[in-house]
């Protein structure tokens, strides 16, 4: 009887210990995944680069171009789209801009609304800003997204979107 009780106690103690360790290991795995995702943005040489999306919400992927780590310009059978890895969208877009996109898998996709996403990304990434014709971009923003322009100018008065500057034209110089 004493031997059976000792066996039972050891078994139950090990089971509880294993359960605690499994929860701890799952917590560690989750944190490692978060660090890897963030690391791809800031240290891609160590953590690796983001892969372009394999599927899009609309059309078949024909080709893609990397604009910045986690930011891809896609050519699809349904036209041009901008794809941002969710880590980029979460860190660099306002909730208003992110809502203009469509999330699918790990990416947020923008078609016509790519102008909003590119505008916000241009504030964080000089390499994206260099690809843009800002006067044309502002004109497209004013015409297609006047509520966004009002929102942006109310929230960021130090970086106003001009209300009457430039003519509409191609805003992405590629």
């Amino acid at each position: 009887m004493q031997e059976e009780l000792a066996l039972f106690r050891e078994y139950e103690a090990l089971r509880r210990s294993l359960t605690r360790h499994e929860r701890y290991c799952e917590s560690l795995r989750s944190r490692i995944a978060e660090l890897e995702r963030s690391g791809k943005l800031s240290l891609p040489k160590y953590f690796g680069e983001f892969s372009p999306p394999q599927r899009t919400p609309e059309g078949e992927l024909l080709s893609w171009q990397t604009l910045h780590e986690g930011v891809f310009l896609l050519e699809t059978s349904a036209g041009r789209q901008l794809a941002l890895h969710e880590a980029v969208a979460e860190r660099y877009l306002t909730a208003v801009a992110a809502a203009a996109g469509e999330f699918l898998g790990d990416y947020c996709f923008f078609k016509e609304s790519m102008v909003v996403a590119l505008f916000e990304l241009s504030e964080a990434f000089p390499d994206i800003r260099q690809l843009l014709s800002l006067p044309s971009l502002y004109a497209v923003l004013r015409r297609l997204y006047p509520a966004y322009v009002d929102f942006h100018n109310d929230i960021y008065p130090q970086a106003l979107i001009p209300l009457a500057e430039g003519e509409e034209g191609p805003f992405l110089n590629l």
Side-chain angles (χ1 to χ4, degrees):
M1 180 77 167
Q2 200 68 335
E3 188 177 311
E4 292 168 345
L5 189 56
L7 181 68
F8 172 75
R9 284 183 181 151
E10 182 180 2
Y11 173 79
E12 286 301 319
L14 289 173
R15 248 179 30 128
R16 281 192 302 277
S17 178
L18 183 60
T19 300
R20 281 191 307 274
H21 289 340
E22 285 173 346
R23 278 184 281 185
Y24 179 68
C25 287
E26 185 55 39
S27 172
L28 289 177
R29 281 187 206 91
S30 176
R31 182 64 182 141
I32 287 171
E34 288 174 27
L35 290 171
E36 287 172 344
R37 192 175 86 152
S38 294
K40 285 183 177 190
L41 280 175
S42 55
L43 294 168
K45 288 183 180 174
Y46 180 78
F47 288 99
E49 298 177 347
F50 289 109
S51 300
Q54 299 303 304
R55 57 192 179 121
T56 67
E58 195 177 329
E60 178 185 338
L61 180 62
L62 303 174
S63 65
W64 53 272
Q65 181 176 358
T66 303
L67 301 183
H68 188 81
E69 193 57 47
V71 180
F72 300 94
L73 185 63
L74 311 176
E75 291 296 334
T76 73
S77 57
R80 195 177 255 190
Q81 297 177 36
L82 184 70
L84 309 181
H85 192 275
E86 64 183 353
V88 175
E90 288 171 3
R91 185 175 287 175
Y92 296 104
L93 295 185
T94 62
V96 171
E102 180 178 344
F103 282 88
L104 176 66
D106 292 340
Y107 281 88
C108 186
F109 295 87
F110 299 86
K111 198 165 180 179
E112 188 176 85
S113 61
M114 82 168 63
V115 66
V116 174
L118 286 169
F119 170 72
E120 290 198 1
L121 292 174
S122 73
E123 299 292 313
F125 305 125
D127 51 340
I128 289 180
R129 189 176 190 87
Q130 290 176 353
L131 300 173
L132 301 175
S133 166
L134 290 177
S136 295
L137 183 113
Y138 295 151
V140 173
L141 278 171
R142 285 191 306 271
R143 183 176 62 82
L144 296 177
Y145 301 98
Y148 173 79
V149 172
D150 291 342
F151 157 78
H152 176 83
N153 287 349
D154 285 345
I155 302 297
Y156 305 103
Q158 72 282 5
L160 294 174
I161 296 171
L163 296 178
E165 178 185 308
E167 292 185 26
E168 202 169 309
F171 57 83
L172 190 54
N173 302 318
L174 290 177

